[in-house]
Amino acid sequence: VVEDDGGISMLNPAAERAFGLSEREAIGRRFDDFCDVHRDGDGFVLGDEGRRHDGSTFPVEGTVSRVHLPGREFLTVILRDVSAR
């Protein structure tokens, strides 16, 4: 989960393994340290490369969903490591 300012607020165990750091280490860091995402009209576009904590990269695909709460917006980002392809 990414906050409206781009900071990571939650990381699941699969993301911890993929990016090589714990949720505790990730919280508050910028999502764009790990993957590019930008607005495209009303939607979002993800880059096609993830960056691990150690600086290595891997191919990803995924989706971004916007969640609105009063006065706040969050992004739920689902990434898949597609290295096996």
Side-chain angles (χ1 to χ4, degrees):
V1 175
V2 179
E3 298 199 29
D4 57 355
D5 66 357
I8 296 171
S9 62
M10 190 175 112
L11 202 67
N12 70 18
E16 289 178 322
R17 289 187 299 277
F19 291 107
L21 75 168
S22 69
E23 180 181 45
R24 175 176 275 169
E25 293 171 304
I27 289 177
R29 294 190 59 175
R30 304 236 356 120
F31 178 72
D32 57 11
D33 288 345
F34 301 98
C35 188
D36 296 324
V37 62
H38 64 272
R39 287 185 185 267
D40 182 24
D42 289 334
F44 295 88
V45 177
L46 285 170
D48 59 359
E49 188 172 80
R51 289 180 294 281
R52 292 185 182 91
H53 184 60
D54 68 5
S56 62
T57 60
F58 60 103
V60 296
E61 65 181 23
T63 60
V64 180
S65 299
R66 197 173 4 195
V67 177
H68 294 283
L69 295 176
R72 298 194 69 184
E73 177 180 85
F74 293 89
L75 302 178
T76 302
V77 181
I78 308 296
L79 290 176
R80 288 173 292 286
D81 179 342
V82 293
S83 297
R85 289 188 193 164

